[in-house]
Amino acid sequence: MSDQMSNGAEQQQASSLPMHVLAQYVKDLSFENPNAPQSLLPNQPQPQVNIGVDVQGQKVGEDIYELTLNLRCEARQGEAVAFLVELAYAALFQFPGLPEEHHRPVLMIEGARMIFPFARAIVSSATREGGFPPLMINPIDFAELYHRQSAEQAEQPQQPPF
């Protein structure tokens, strides 16, 4: 019973975040399979996958922000590229009632966390349709990524956050 009550309280707290998702969309998607059909022949070595993540936010209207999650996944079999997936997945967010100084961290952390599963599914589907096993990207700590990017930006000349 107490577990149900605490779960309900956690759900209420999470849903009380003043954040609306207005739209989600693929901005750009590319899948390359440059060595097919050789890369798909039986007994090929397991590809070594390198995944790059970049999160960008910008103000696009009165209290409306676009967040773009850029994923680049390159798989190599030895020296040869097995596949390359590049995805720019975006969403529009609005923050009614949230003080403006909190917009950027909420967008870059919570917004990215919200759209990541959709981007992950697109990458997984693209690799599967390309003839490879579905690539399942591990969860990403967007808070740590945000803090790291903020520290790097603090070392550079000051620019407006949006």
Side-chain angles (χ1 to χ4, degrees):
M1 177 87 170
S2 63
D3 287 341
Q4 289 175 346
M5 291 180 73
S6 66
N7 285 343
E10 289 172 12
Q11 288 175 350
Q12 176 63 29
Q13 186 179 19
S15 66
S16 66
L17 184 64
M19 179 178 195
H20 296 154
V21 180
L22 304 176
Q24 291 183 221
Y25 48 96
V26 173
K27 287 184 81 165
D28 189 27
L29 173 62
S30 171
F31 179 85
E32 298 176 29
N33 196 347
N35 291 309
Q38 285 75 23
S39 61
L40 301 171
L41 293 173
N43 300 322
Q44 291 298 311
Q46 185 74 9
Q48 297 299 310
V49 181
N50 184 23
I51 300 172
V53 179
D54 183 40
V55 182
Q56 299 174 347
Q58 66 178 343
K59 190 170 187 173
V60 295
E62 185 64 32
D63 196 32
I64 297 175
Y65 299 87
E66 179 188 58
L67 176 78
T68 304
L69 178 58
N70 297 292
L71 299 174
R72 185 178 193 280
C73 309
E74 181 180 65
R76 293 186 164 272
Q77 293 171 321
E79 293 297 315
V81 174
F83 66 81
L84 175 64
V85 182
E86 294 176 316
L87 172 65
Y89 190 76
L92 295 177
F93 292 93
Q94 192 171 37
F95 305 105
L98 184 68
E100 190 164 345
E101 64 268 14
H102 298 296
H103 288 187
R104 184 166 179 77
V106 170
L107 177 71
M108 302 298 280
I109 297 169
E110 291 303 315
R113 184 188 59 77
M114 289 176 74
I115 69 171
F116 173 73
F118 299 97
R120 179 183 185 208
I122 292 167
V123 168
S124 175
S125 179
T127 56
R128 184 187 69 241
E129 295 298 325
F132 295 92
L135 178 60
M136 299 303 291
I137 301 172
N138 287 330
I140 298 168
D141 183 350
F142 289 104
E144 190 272 330
L145 182 62
Y146 172 74
H147 293 300
R148 189 170 17 137
Q149 287 178 340
S150 295
E152 290 172 5
Q153 288 176 354
E155 295 174 3
Q156 297 175 358
Q158 195 67 349
Q159 296 177 5
F162 289 109

